Structure formats: C-alpha cells, structure tokens
Amino acid sequence: MSELTEKARKADTVDELAAKRGEFVLDDVVYLDGNSLGALPLAVPGRVEDVVRRQWGELRIRSWDESGWWTAPERIGDRIAPLVGAGAGQIVVGDSTSVNVFKALVAAVRIAGDDRDEILVDATTFPTDGYIAESAARMTGRTLRPVTPAEVPYALGDRTAAVLLNHVDYRTGRLHDLPALTAAVRAAGALSVWDLCHSAGALPVGLDEHGVDVAVGCTYKYLNGGPGSPAYLYVRHGLQDRFDSPLPGWNSHAEPFGMRSSYEPAPGSLRGRVGTPDILSMLALEAALEVWDDVSVDAVRAKSLALTDLFLECVAEYVPAGRVESLTPVTHAERGSQVALRCEDAGEVMKRLIERGVVGDFRAPDVLRFGFTPLYVGFADVERAARLLGEVLTRPS
C-alpha cells in the first residue's frame, strides 16, 4: 500500500460525512462530475412514485391544495435558504437558471434607476449568462460592459446599474470574493446579481451576511435535484417591494385566481414566480434536499478542501511531470469544489478515464474537470482517480 493510498484510507475512517454516501444511488464508479449533474438520492424514486401515483393519479386537481403543490416554490426555497446563508421568505424555486438570470438582471436594472445606464458582466462567465446580459442590456437601453471579476472594483462608477457575477468559475473552479465584490458594488450604488450554480451546496455563500441583492442558482449540481430540476431566485427582503419582474405571470399576481386584466405583484418572494410550477421535478428536488437535513455547510466545505488538496497532491505524485497543468488555485480562499487540469489531448484522456471507471468531464479545447461532491465522494475515490489518470497519461493508447 502506497503512502497516499494509506493517507486516503485514514482520512475516510475519520470522515464525519462518510455515512452520507449511503443515502445516494451509487456503484463502483468514481463519480467526479457532480458539478454537472449530482447523483441520485435514495429518497427521490419513492417520492416521485407517490407524487405520480397518489397525488396526481388519485387526488388529481385536489393536490394543488391537499398535497401542497401550490406552495411548493416557497416551501422548497426555504429549504435551500440555509445552504446559501439566507433567511426564510427570500427564495422562490422555479423556472431555469437562464430565466431567473433574466428576471434578476432586468429587475436589478429597473431598481437602479434610469440615470444608471451601464451593466457590468463577468467576462469569463458561463456563455448563457453573457447572452442573457446582452439581451437584458438591449431591452433596457443599457450598455453592456464585460470585465473580469478582478477588474470590477475599478470598473464601477456612477453609471453602473447592476453587476452580474459568477461565484465560482465553471471552467477553472476559481472562487471569486463574493463579500468584497458585493461590498464594492454596494458602495458604488449599484446592485449585485450573483450566479451560484457552482457554489451552492459545496461551500458557504452568506447571501444575507454579505448583503447580496439578488442571486440565482441551479439545483441539479451539488444540490442533486436531478436533470433539469428547477432553479431558484433570491431577492433580499429590503428589495422585494421594488422587485419589478420583466416576466409578470399569473402565479406572481397578488390575486392569482382573480383573473384580472391588470397586473398587481404579490408580496415578498412570490414576485419571482411566473407560471405554473413544474411539480414533478420540483417535488423530486424537495425529496433530494432531505439529505441536507443534518449536514453543516461548513463541514462540507472542510471536506471539499481536503478532497481537492489530496487530489492535487496525488496528481503531482502520479502524473508524469509536465503532462497536465492545474488551472485551479492552490489557495483555499480562491478554490471552489472542482479541479480543472489543462491537458493537450483532454477529450481522449477523459474518454479513457471513463472506460476505467472514473467519470469527470471535458471542456474544449483542453480542460479536464473533476468535481468533488463531499456528500458522496470519499478520499479513496480521489486517490484512485488520480492514480488512474497517471496510468492513462503514462501509457498512451
């Protein structure tokens, strides 16, 4: 047994989250792609069967009331809230991340006022956020200015209406400084809009603590809600009465069954709703979130850093020198819960890794991404993945 193998074994024996692995549907594969799609929690299939067979099949329309379908967006939002450091009544679940980015950014610009005519957007953002920011700018008559997160404090000014940023860079796993950037945006009189897709469920966010204005996120990555599970929208309490959604729907009306021709927004987080909720996927998400009932986000973060530390150590030991380059910061304060390695033939390397039972993903043209979900990834998994990567890179096909 090698020194690193023994180190991983010992770490697993003292892992306070180790038992959580038993609450997921897993096999012998080392699954390091939870930053794209989380594993299936055991509670979900039975819950979905009940929703389909009893709530829909037997109760039918009565389930909007008797099964709590109508209130699901806010109820599930309140379950997500502690995972992102938010108090109750500020998160509503529904729609996709893309739709929520659009709602969030346009509403933020409207709150900022007509005298602020510029939107800043993370130049390294996931492409969809950039597309939506460009459309929002055109629709609101603002100028869009792409800048890197590091440039934001210097780009802010009295023209800035809103700033759309990613908490964690989806390519590199770099964690951006949400507290400092949010404070800088606030000091400039602008509004902050954060995309939490690659941080929620992997590390503390602190939305309330740090005064974030608006935030969005998906639920199918570290929150394990399932493919296409609904996203969420956070609007801090102090802004809710000014949140003017560009997608006013009957579900966000103050009297949704009044069927009035004029729109009057509902109070609180309900303003983030649009149309009829996606009940099947929403209630699957609710079941998936039960794995978090007795979990501390701080414990998840501590394990995430330990897992990625071990992986980087093992890669340095097992992979031939110069064969890969880590794009993920070594400093804990700048690291999310993934490791991105630049590799000349990354697509083929990932294909061969998957054939050998290690699942990560590939981002063109040359990036291997490995996501570490602390609820079900163990230290032996990490050591095995790095060892097999070393073997693949040592013995080319």
Side-chain angles (χ1 to χ4, degrees), residues 324-335:
V324 298
E325 172 195 359
S326 178
L327 303 178
T328 303
V330 173
T331 304
H332 284 181
E334 298 177 354
R335 187 194 310 166

Side-chain angles (χ1 to χ4, degrees), residues 13 87 107 210 238 269 278 282 307-308 336 376:
T13 64
H210 302 304
S269 64
D278 299 322
M282 189 166 293
L307 288 169
T308 50
Y376 55 77

Side-chain angles (χ1 to χ4, degrees), residues 26 78 117 147 171 189 211 224 291 324 334 336 358-359 365-367 390:
L26 296 166
D78 283 346
D117 62 359
V147 295
R171 295 184 193 85
N224 310 297
V291 301
V324 298
E334 298 177 354
V358 175
V359 177
D366 58 359
V367 176

